[in-house]
Amino acid sequence: MKVSAFGYTDYRKFLIDKFEAKKNEDSSFNYFYICKETDIKSPGHLSLILHGKVNVSDEMAQKFAQLCNLKTRETKYFLTLVQFNQEKKNARKKELFDEIISFRESCIYRVGPHLYKFYDRWYHSVIRAIVDFVDITDNYDDLAKMVVPIIRPDQAKTSCALLETLELIKRNDQGFWRPTQKSLDSGSAVTSITINNFVLSMIDLAREAMDRFPREERIFSSVTLGVNEEGYEEIVTELREFRRKAAEIAQKHPAEKVVQVNFQVFPVSRVKGARGEDA
């Protein structure tokens, strides 16, 4: 099994999986061998590293990269990942996060401004996801019924035509519609009115889902927190990373349904010391 650092956002999880893969290939690749090759004092200390109890130095991270036989680009990514996971200062952590994004061999296709018609109707994204695992040719009645809430067949047909024009789906050799990209992302800087309207429409669907689906088929939760600016930025960074991770999880498993994952973070109080608006 090939284990690539590019598939991870936690360097410790990568090392655990990488070491396990190497051990399956060669039984002599155990904790004692790893300690010998990296000058770690004991298997117990190695265990503390792998389980997040002890951090590693840049020198030690380089030794791990060499032990894993990482090539130049993957080594740079791994070393950046180590810094990101261990960094405490939020400003620097954000810089490292941006570096990680630039390194990643991402499964997410970034939608450019010229494709923003894709977000004019909420069901365009749903249909693009459905045709990834359902065989649709011209049976738009069936396609329309698969969308929740149900749309009209003519809307399903028009949506497919738009998605084809935008080169987001195309017919395969059997004539079935298939996505040209596995996952889509508009980016974290959502400023377009079109994108905002899309997000609002998905929030409306979420509200309707409270009554449309039983509790076991949906997850709704919330938490109200008191944070400073640094804490707020850290939460935003984690949400961005999870959005990316969710897309990677979806890519790993064969699809059998389409789900919508929404994120909302917004103030419900004024900043401490700020004056209220005049009445």
Side-chain angles (χ1 to χ4, degrees):
M1 179 183 68
K2 182 179 180 181
V3 179
S4 170
F6 292 114
Y8 293 78
T9 56
D10 184 335
Y11 81 87
R12 294 182 174 91
K13 182 64 168 64
F14 162 70
L15 289 177
I16 291 172
D17 290 350
K18 188 72 170 182
F19 291 162
E20 183 65 25
K22 282 185 168 291
K23 184 178 180 180
N24 290 335
E25 297 173 358
D26 182 356
S27 59
S28 66
F29 193 95
N30 53 33
Y31 272 22
F32 290 100
Y33 175 82
I34 296 170
C35 290
K36 178 183 176 182
E37 293 297 311
T38 57
D39 295 324
I40 294 176
K41 58 185 179 182
S42 70
H45 189 72
L46 174 60
S47 179
L48 291 176
I49 292 173
L50 296 180
H51 292 88
K53 305 299 183 181
V54 177
N55 286 339
V56 300
S57 64
D58 291 343
E59 180 182 0
M60 181 60 66
Q62 184 68 54
K63 289 180 180 179
F64 278 135
Q66 293 173 353
L67 181 64
C68 294
N69 300 315
L70 304 186
K71 295 182 179 180
T72 302
R73 176 176 167 79
E74 193 173 4
T75 293
K76 291 180 179 178
Y77 176 81
F78 175 76
L79 297 179
T80 304
L81 197 59
V82 170
Q83 294 180 57
F84 173 74
N85 291 155
Q86 299 183 167
E87 181 59 54
K88 299 299 183 183
K89 295 182 179 179
N90 193 60
R92 177 57 180 156
K93 198 174 184 72
K94 287 175 63 179
E95 292 176 359
L96 291 167
F97 179 77
D98 289 338
E99 290 184 37
I100 288 173
I101 298 300
S102 67
F103 269 113
R104 293 293 288 272
E105 296 179 346
S106 176
C107 66
I108 306 174
Y109 175 71
R110 185 59 56 86
V111 178
H114 63 295
L115 297 181
Y116 278 1
K117 286 185 178 180
F118 173 74
Y119 292 104
D120 279 346
R121 296 289 184 272
W122 62 268
Y123 51 80
H124 293 329
S125 63
V126 178
I127 286 176
R128 191 207 62 82
I130 289 175
V131 299
D132 186 30
F133 59 93
V134 177
D135 294 337
I136 298 295
T137 53
D138 297 322
N139 49 326
Y140 298 111
D141 285 358
D142 296 334
L143 177 58
K145 292 175 182 177
M146 292 196 67
V147 179
V148 180
I150 294 175
I151 61 174
R152 301 191 309 270
D154 64 295
Q155 290 175 315
K157 181 177 181 180
T158 300
S159 182
C160 285
L162 172 66
L163 294 172
E164 181 183 28
T165 299
L166 297 178
E167 299 182 350
L168 295 178
I169 65 171
K170 66 178 181 180
R171 292 188 185 274
N172 64 11
D173 294 339
Q174 290 75 44
F176 299 129
W177 290 115
R178 290 290 184 261
T180 57
Q181 306 290 339
K182 183 66 177 179
S183 299
L184 300 178
D185 185 14
S186 64
S188 58
V190 181
T191 57
S192 166
I193 293 177
T194 302
I195 298 296
N196 287 343
N197 288 339
F198 172 79
V199 172
L200 289 173
S201 67
M202 285 304 182
I203 291 175
D204 288 339
L205 286 180
R207 185 182 296 110
E208 295 170 8
M210 292 284 287
D211 297 323
R212 182 175 292 121
F213 300 99
R215 183 182 297 274
E216 60 271 17
E217 293 185 21
R218 55 175 172 78
I219 296 177
F220 287 88
S221 63
S222 65
V223 59
T224 305
L225 305 169
V227 297
N228 60 10
E229 188 61 27
E230 181 179 358
Y232 177 81
E233 290 299 328
E234 187 171 345
I235 290 172
V236 170
T237 297
E238 290 294 329
L239 285 177
R240 289 173 179 167
E241 177 57 23
F242 178 73
R243 181 181 62 186
R244 187 180 189 83
K245 184 64 176 178
E248 293 174 349
I249 292 172
Q251 187 183 41
K252 288 193 304 183
H253 303 282
E256 57 183 26
K257 63 180 177 181
V258 180
V259 299
Q260 178 68 24
V261 181
N262 293 337
F263 302 95
Q264 291 90 36
V265 178
F266 53 89
V268 288
S269 78
R270 299 187 185 279
V271 176
K272 181 180 179 181
R275 298 176 61 184
E277 295 180 0
D278 294 335

